[in-house]
Amino acid sequence: YIINGSDTDVDPETGLGFIVDPGTIPLVSGRDPSASIDFSKIEDTYQDAGLDFKLPLFFGGREILLKAGYAYTDNERDSLNRQYFYTGFSTIANQCNDTRLNGGDAAQRIDRLLDDAFLSSGACGSTPPIRIDQTPNNTDFPGETLGTLQVHAGYFGLDAQVNDFVRTALGVRFEDGEQTSETIFFDSVSDSRVVFSAPVIEEEYFLPAATVTWNFADNLQLRVGYSETITRPQFREKSPNIFLNTETERSFVGNPFLENAEIKNYDARLEWYFGREEFITLGAFYKDLENPIEEIGRSVANESDVTTFINTPQAELYGAEFEFEKRFELYDFAQRFAEGSALSEWTSSKDLYFAVNYTYTSSEVQAGSEPVNLAAPLATGLGFVPLEISAENLIQDGRALQGQSDHLLNIQFGYEDLDVNSKATLLLNYASERIREAGTLLVGADTPDVIEEPPLTLDFVYTRGFEVWGGEYEVGFKAQNILGEEYKAFSEGRGEVPVEEYDLGQTFAISLKRKF
């Protein structure tokens, strides 16, 4: 039985709103600037318990392994949010815009307008005092969200060697899950609490799985399998309050009407093992997804575009995978050219290794006429109702699944010395462009797909173990993004429009670990 928890106080976030007029200072007349500060606190609790049984049986000289078990999961999240706005900031900002800033100090940083020293100096003429007031709760900024997930699961399976060449594993997992989400608004007018409860996701599933392995030749086997799985929405995906992704500067808002996604998986894999940690595999797979959860762009009244989440009615993906791993014993090479020499002895514990994994995936979303639920605010502004939109009027039929790259490539090349317990590895990772945020087809509120180009990354990792003063230590060195690649994202509306570009930078780290 395991209990884990975390308590996170998020650093306060200060927001400044203004209009940028090219060629002048950022603050201009025509729209009042604004300033606010947000405080957040997140408490997570995880409880997990499990019990597993195994019973080996023998029939006809062959072993059958029976398995059964039970698992319990209880996750809770309590997210508190408070926002305060600076009353009087727009007046001060406009005064400073007309006097101090335009009057010869146009380089004055806007955030300096909130400094105590700046305000108390009487700058900008008749500067009025700033008062900090709490933002009234509304659908954009609820005061608290509570999420819970309880799952009772049991499974039964068997693993049997049918004959000298065929082995099978069969099983079924039963899950009874309940997921809730509540949003609490503190009504500053009546000094009361208004609770909005999202629809409870309470589902029972029987999830079968089967794998058959056929060893039709020495070190060669064919493995085929079928399984059913589910994906539940994360707490943040169901929480309807708006939050800012500080990495992308994009606002996200959850959808309280999300449902579980159901997936049927089919796969076949040909495997050839020809040495110690050496193999080649070829695989093919197909997945049928019902209600997959995707990120889409949405225009909100009086707000800039935000990212939200929907259940796409149907999608499918299929593809192939190739994996190869090979070790090269340096001792063998030395024996060929310098048998019995010092070089031969030095290489006796040293290996080179090479590994590559490539996956091709083709995915397609099927819109159809089924309804998709978005969240629309109640007239009171303290709750939500489902807004049903036909999928064919919201989703581009036939587009790729959001977040899915067509090509994934990972390459490793390394050196290992077993005598001194050292290892050095170069890692190359590539992913082709993919949809970061799917667009919508809503008339008057349509948004284009946002495509991201993940950077090609080359990393280097080195570790070496040693003993000193009676203890075991490990020293490590890591270099990330050696090539210095950039991250890029663009939209495909009326031509290609840059959305985000930034330098990832290079990271170098040295570590020292002690083993106890």
Side-chain angles (χ1 to χ4, degrees), residues 12-53:
E13 296 179 358
T14 301
L16 295 168
F18 53 88
I19 295 175
V20 175
D21 184 8
T24 68
I25 60 174
L27 295 179
V28 298
S29 59
R31 176 179 174 181
D32 288 338
S34 61
S36 63
I37 185 168
D38 301 345
F39 296 88
S40 301
K41 180 182 178 67
I42 299 175
E43 295 181 359
D44 283 314
T45 304
Y46 317 90
Q47 299 184 54
D48 299 287
L51 195 60
D52 294 289
F53 299 94

Side-chain angles (χ1 to χ4, degrees), residues 14 16 35 37 86 89 92-93 96 100 105 107-124 127-130 132:
T14 301
L16 295 168
I37 185 168
Y86 292 84
F89 173 78
I92 291 178
C96 286
R100 181 176 176 84
D105 191 11
Q108 176 70 53
R109 282 169 32 194
I110 297 173
D111 59 305
R112 289 293 302 276
L113 297 176
L114 299 177
D115 288 353
D116 290 340
F118 182 76
L119 295 175
S120 61
S121 66
C124 306
T127 302
I130 281 184
I132 299 179

Side-chain angles (χ1 to χ4, degrees), residues 146-253:
L146 300 172
T148 67
L149 173 62
Q150 289 186 336
V151 179
H152 296 272
Y155 74 90
F156 175 80
L158 63 87
D159 192 343
Q161 187 75 38
V162 179
N163 56 40
D164 293 339
F165 307 101
V166 178
R167 189 175 188 90
T168 184
L170 305 173
V172 63
R173 176 182 175 88
F174 170 76
E175 286 197 8
D176 182 2
E178 179 179 283
Q179 186 170 2
T180 66
S181 178
E182 290 185 341
T183 304
I184 302 174
F185 303 92
F186 298 95
D187 192 336
S188 57
V189 177
S190 62
D191 195 25
S192 61
R193 290 158 50 102
V194 178
V195 179
F196 165 73
S197 297
V200 177
I201 302 178
E202 191 170 8
E203 300 282 356
E204 295 181 351
Y205 298 95
F206 283 95
L207 305 171
T211 301
V212 177
T213 305
W214 177 30
N215 293 100
F216 59 89
D218 288 343
N219 302 323
L220 272 170
Q221 64 183 30
L222 176 64
R223 191 192 308 269
V224 295
Y226 169 79
S227 64
E228 296 182 13
T229 55
I230 61 171
T231 300
R232 294 184 170 90
Q234 301 176 15
F235 288 141
R236 73 180 184 91
E237 294 173 345
K238 281 185 69 69
S239 176
N241 60 308
I242 291 180
F243 66 93
L244 179 69
N245 184 330
T246 55
E247 291 185 1
T248 63
E249 295 298 321
R250 183 70 168 172
S251 294
F252 282 73
V253 57

Side-chain angles (χ1 to χ4, degrees), residues 459-503:
D459 303 331
F460 174 75
V461 179
Y462 174 80
T463 59
R464 176 165 179 166
F466 61 94
E467 294 184 9
V468 64
W469 300 316
E472 293 185 28
Y473 295 83
E474 182 184 270
V475 63
F477 171 75
K478 179 185 292 186
Q480 295 178 287
N481 193 27
I482 296 172
L483 301 177
E485 291 289 299
E486 299 178 342
Y487 175 88
K488 297 180 180 180
F490 58 91
S491 66
E492 290 189 325
R494 297 175 178 87
E496 186 173 306
V497 179
V499 171
E500 191 173 5
E501 294 185 11
Y502 59 85
D503 239 333

